[in-house]
């Protein structure tokens, strides 16, 4: 009973009071007619400076979010599962646009990007460094700030590795489609001081990517663009446009977060060491872009913590008794729906949820 009470209190704070609800001009959760509609006003994840920079640029680097031990464990896990990595060759190369390879992104013309997946289902202990990201104490607050309480894993994590000479990736994503229509599934917006991303990518940097080495690049501010990308920018064919593409310098252990509404891509890798980045795509509680959640592999979910499984849950709103995470990455049971509402729903629909 005591544990349940603590969880109810924690959920109330998570969804309503943690950032000043109840202050002048805001409704307290206790005063709302339906307390399950209590607004998410999380501000504990990002500093004012970080919020400004993300809203300005569409991406943000969390310096040193992973400890050296966490980086070491992730790299050792990849080394132990190197047989599961695959190089992209031929038509799988990522430096071509409309069937024509970009000279600015081709690298040496032969070396392909290396992809790997399934890390969440690798044998223990190699899966743990990648599972930990789902509810990492250094990341959960930022992800809640950017997607709301109850954020969820939308795509299986993907390892991107690049040897010297590997090709880049044409710029993609963006707030507007090539046809000039809003890219609703990737939308970024900020309303009332709250940022929301329909699809957010979180990248674990496992080896250094110094300035000029290549790797992730983006057009700052493009997540708020109202016009389609000029094709000559997508493959960096226009020098005037290409000057607006930035490659942030990253150290091993940094975590890069960006909106999929931000126009982004990859520059050819020029460093002597291998680039290693693991990317995750997350979405708000009630939305989905990918369909992997329909049937996550059994080995992926086996042995996960309650918090990790909560992040892998199917899309539905926190109002529907969704388990969320607190700032420390712990699972917080939802506030129980009133028993008289549940009983009536079961009479009407024949089941608890409808």
């Amino acid at each position: 009973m005591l544990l349940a009470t603590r969880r109810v209190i924690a959920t109330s704070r998570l969804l309503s009071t943690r950032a000043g609800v109840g202050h002048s001009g805001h409704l307290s959760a206790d005063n709302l007619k339906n307390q399950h509609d209590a607004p998410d006003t999380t501000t504990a994840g990002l500093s004012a400076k970080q919020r400004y920079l993300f809203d300005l640029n569409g991406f943000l680097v969390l310096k040193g979010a992973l400890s050296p031990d966490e980086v070491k464990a992730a790299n050792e896990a990849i080394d132990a599962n190197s047989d599961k990595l695959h190089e992209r060759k031929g038509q799988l190369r990522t430096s071509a646009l409309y069937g024509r390879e970009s000279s600015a992104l081709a690298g040496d013309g032969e070396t392909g990007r290396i992809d790997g997946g399934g890390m969440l289902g690798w044998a223990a202990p190699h899966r743990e460094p990648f599972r930990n990201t789902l509810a990492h104490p250094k990341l959960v607050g930022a992800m809640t700030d950017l997607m709301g309480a109850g954020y969820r894993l939308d795509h299986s994590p993907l390892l991107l590795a690049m040897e010297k000479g590997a090709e880049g990736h044409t710029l993609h994503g963006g707030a507007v489609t090539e046809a000039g229509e809003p890219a609703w599934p990737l939308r970024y917006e900020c309303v009332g001081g709250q940022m929301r991303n329909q699809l957010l990518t979180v990248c674990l940097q496992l080896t250094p990517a110094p300035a000029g080495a290549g790797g992730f690049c983006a057009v700052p501010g493009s997540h708020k663009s109202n016009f389609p990308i000029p094709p000559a920018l997508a493959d960096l064919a226009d020098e005037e446009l290409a000057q607006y593409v930035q490659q942030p310098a990253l150290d091993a252990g940094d975590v890069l977060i960006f909106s999929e509404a931000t126009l982004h891509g990859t520059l050819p890798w020029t460093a002597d060491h291998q680039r290693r980045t693991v990317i995750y795509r997350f979405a708000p509680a009630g939305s989905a872009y990918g369909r992997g959640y329909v049937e996550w592999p059994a080995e992926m979910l086996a042995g996960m913590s309650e918090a990790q499984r909560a992040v892998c849950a199917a899309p539905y709103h926190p109002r529907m008794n969704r388990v969320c995470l607190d700032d420390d990455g712990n699972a917080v049971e939802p506030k129980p729906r009133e028993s008289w509402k549940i009983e009536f729903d079961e009479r009407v629909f024949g089941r608890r949820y409808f």
Side-chain angles (χ1 to χ4, degrees):
M1 179 63 72
L2 179 60
L3 178 58
T5 300
R6 287 175 176 169
R7 284 177 167 173
V8 168
I9 293 172
T11 303
S12 177
R13 288 174 178 168
L14 175 68
L15 296 180
S16 62
T17 63
R18 194 166 53 183
V21 175
H23 291 175
S24 175
H26 296 272
L27 284 175
S28 159
D30 293 335
N31 294 329
L32 292 174
K33 181 178 179 181
N34 188 335
Q35 293 187 28
H36 297 281
D37 287 333
D40 169 26
T41 54
T42 302
T43 58
L46 296 175
S47 67
K49 176 182 176 180
Q50 290 172 325
R51 289 166 66 84
Y52 175 80
L53 290 174
F54 188 93
D55 181 64
L56 176 70
N57 293 317
F59 62 89
L60 180 69
V61 178
L62 303 179
K63 299 297 293 182
L66 302 182
S67 70
D69 286 343
E70 288 175 314
V71 172
K72 181 174 182 288
N75 279 318
E76 288 177 347
I78 293 169
D79 291 339
N81 289 273
S82 59
D83 60 314
K84 301 179 178 67
L85 308 183
H86 307 277
E87 185 177 357
R88 304 176 73 99
K89 289 286 191 180
Q91 63 182 1
L92 293 173
R93 286 172 60 81
T94 58
S95 52
L97 183 68
Y98 307 127
R100 175 180 59 82
E101 186 155 72
S102 163
S103 59
L105 298 174
D108 64 15
E110 287 188 28
T111 306
R113 193 182 80 187
I114 300 169
D115 291 8
M119 291 84 76
L120 298 180
W122 286 353
H126 298 144
R127 65 193 184 194
E128 304 308 330
F130 309 105
R131 291 186 175 192
N132 290 343
T133 301
L134 303 177
H136 197 292
K138 293 287 185 69
L139 303 177
V140 64
M143 291 194 283
T144 302
D145 257 8
L146 295 170
M147 290 175 285
Y151 69 84
R152 51 174 296 276
L153 182 69
D154 193 81
H155 291 47
S156 295
L158 173 66
L159 166 69
L160 306 179
M162 299 171 73
E163 298 288 355
K164 186 174 183 177
E167 86 275 24
H169 195 311
T170 53
L171 272 61
H172 55 284
V176 180
T177 69
E178 291 183 354
E181 300 174 347
W184 298 113
L186 309 181
R187 185 171 175 81
Y188 166 83
E189 61 183 340
C190 184
V191 179
Q194 294 184 349
M195 294 183 286
R196 288 294 177 268
N197 294 270
Q198 284 299 105
L199 197 61
L200 187 79
T201 299
V202 175
C203 307
L204 312 184
Q205 193 66 30
L206 301 182
T207 58
F216 173 84
C217 64
V219 178
S222 54
H223 60 314
K224 295 184 284 190
S225 177
N226 292 294
F227 299 96
I229 172 179
L233 174 56
D235 62 1
L236 305 186
D238 186 306
E239 291 186 6
E240 180 182 2
L241 293 172
Q243 68 178 314
Y244 296 101
V245 178
Q246 288 188 11
Q247 180 239 314
L250 302 170
D251 295 316
D254 290 349
V255 172
L256 170 76
I257 299 177
F258 67 90
S259 169
E260 283 286 335
T262 304
L263 188 66
H264 63 282
T266 310
L267 297 177
W269 190 247
T270 64
D272 291 330
H273 65 273
Q274 186 184 72
R275 176 200 181 209
R276 282 186 179 178
T277 304
V278 178
I279 68 171
Y280 298 70
R281 294 187 181 94
F282 294 96
S287 66
Y289 188 98
R291 57 181 290 177
Y293 73 88
V294 175
E295 191 175 1
W296 291 127
E299 63 271 18
M300 169 181 151
L301 300 176
M304 275 191 174
S305 69
E306 182 183 7
Q308 292 166 351
R309 289 184 71 93
V311 176
C312 296
Y316 61 94
H317 195 275
R319 179 183 176 187
M320 296 299 170
N321 289 14
R322 187 181 192 93
V323 175
C324 299
L325 306 184
D326 64 19
D327 285 338
D328 296 319
N330 301 311
V332 179
E333 294 292 339
K335 181 177 181 179
R337 196 155 185 258
E338 294 89 337
S339 59
W340 51 271
K341 288 185 178 180
I342 294 175
E343 186 274 334
F344 186 72
D345 289 343
E346 289 178 335
R347 270 193 286 158
V348 173
F349 298 101
R351 55 190 304 191
R352 178 176 288 257
Y353 299 111
F354 52 91

